[in-house]
Amino acid sequence: MVSYVSHLECAESGKKYEKGKIHTVSDLGKPILVKYDLERLSSEISRDSIENSKNPGMWRYSPLLPVEQEENRVSLGETITPLVNFPRLASCLGSNGETAFVKDESRLPTGSFKARGLSLAVSMAKELGIRHLAIPTNGNAGSALAAYASRAGIKTTVLCPDNTPEINVRETQIQGADTFLVNGLIDECGEIIANGKELLDWFAVSTLKEPYRIEGKKTMGLELAEQMGWNLPDVIFYPTGGGTGIIGMWKGFLEMKELGWIDCKLPRMVAVQSTGCAPIVKAWNEGKNFADYWENAETISSGIRVPSALGDFLILDSIKSSNGFAISVTDEETIEMQKELGEKDGLLLCPEGAATLAAYKNSLKSGLVSLNDRVVLFNTATGLKYPLPEVEASIKKEDVDYAVFKSK
Ligand SMILES: *Cc1c(COP(=O)(O)O)cnc(C)c1O
């Protein structure tokens, strides 16, 4: 037994739910969160024992995760993702390059941070004896679920909007999931899954409709603290879709604070969205606690093309509690920053990650953050999964004009 879970709780009403049972959403239809006996945990597990863990990835935080039996951990060799600086681009922004870093989540299995949440969700599904999982996805969640579920021997059905990046759909299929394209948006895929539950008895792993993906995403925050010497940056820019990452990290920060593992000021949480789909930014600007459905969502940053988030109030709460903000950037700004960072510092971000860089640049300009702020931008997936600009220049081997190389 390695877990310190005490019970689960409705994120809105606080109503308690028993551990060791299968849960979806609360009676109110809101997310259910995992609660730990932090008092017992702090008396039995020290920060040092975490640091001394032989596990080189998210499972080093097992005491703060819900999986009870070690044999139920479904792992594909998760790593600690690096914090990479970008001095050349930073200097163009007027910075000395020592305050801003990219946390590069592309190094995880299946090339995205979705691995964290789905490793956890699949591990819990295994522990709870679930035999068939289903997910609506814009791409990365589907491939991560496929990979982890196949590894656990659990059947998986994946529904993707038919404009999901092709590579995501194909990688999902080849990792063993029954994969379908749907002529609709992600929430419509979710509806199809909800409506099929009675007939197929599958379990939906939709964002925040089960309690465990968020616990996996939480490890981004735990890992960040440990790799900064149990410290945290001043500001976190996070590409926000369903919000599991921002909610999970914030939950992790509060837990670590209560455990006494950190005593620094908590970071300002910045939710970054695209102007083509910015429900959280709109709600934030209007001072609302919940977000309206975003009609005609459209952006190249498919991971944050989420018109409505079940955890909207939790996202908005973490922004507010942390004195952060929400900000949207255009796809043009995103593409521009992706290109610039590749050219200047050799880092290929996914569009969602590049959106955080564009947001950082704009926030510096408008004074929302300063050059002295220590900033972490989340690159949530590998840029290799997305369409990239075509190479137009070519030469003929029979007749090489060396002048073309000079002009490049
Ligand atoms: C899913 C996804 C996001 C959004 O994640 P949430 O934590 O659910 O808000 C951002 N970027 C990429 C690449 C994604 O796949």
Side-chain angles (χ1 to χ4, degrees), residues 31 33 113-114 186 206-208 213-215 217-218 220 238-251 269-273 279-280 303-319 380:
L33 303 178
F113 76 145
K114 288 287 195 300
I186 187 165
S206 312
T207 303
L208 291 171
R213 280 175 66 182
I214 190 172
E215 293 301 301
K217 289 276 190 87
K218 179 176 90 177
M220 283 190 291
Y238 183 83
T240 305
T244 37
I246 209 165
I247 301 166
M249 278 195 279
W250 189 248
K251 182 173 188 281
M269 305 300 281
V270 178
V272 178
Q273 297 198 305
I280 298 296
I304 54 176
R305 193 174 58 215
V306 181
S308 134
L310 192 65
D312 52 0
F313 64 108
L314 297 171
I315 301 170
L316 290 160
D317 181 61
S318 62
I319 300 172
T380 40

Side-chain angles (χ1 to χ4, degrees), residues 57 157 180 287:
T157 304
F180 298 86

Side-chain angles (χ1 to χ4, degrees), residues 8-51:
L8 294 88
E9 226 174 72
C10 170
E12 181 155 291
S13 70
K15 180 178 169 184
K16 291 189 176 176
Y17 291 85
E18 211 180 321
K19 68 171 180 173
K21 298 249 159 68
I22 295 175
H23 294 294
T24 54
V25 289
S26 72
D27 296 350
L28 296 177
K30 297 294 173 185
I32 294 179
L33 303 178
V34 181
K35 294 287 165 179
Y36 298 85
D37 182 349
L38 295 176
E39 207 165 308
R40 186 163 70 87
L41 201 165
S42 74
S43 70
E44 293 177 10
I45 304 285
S46 68
R47 215 171 65 175
D48 290 349
S49 72
I50 300 282
E51 275 181 36

Side-chain angles (χ1 to χ4, degrees), residues 156-172:
T156 299
T157 304
V158 176
L159 303 190
C160 315
D162 54 14
N163 57 354
T164 302
E166 193 164 293
I167 192 78
N168 286 140
V169 181
R170 294 186 183 196
E171 60 170 334
T172 299

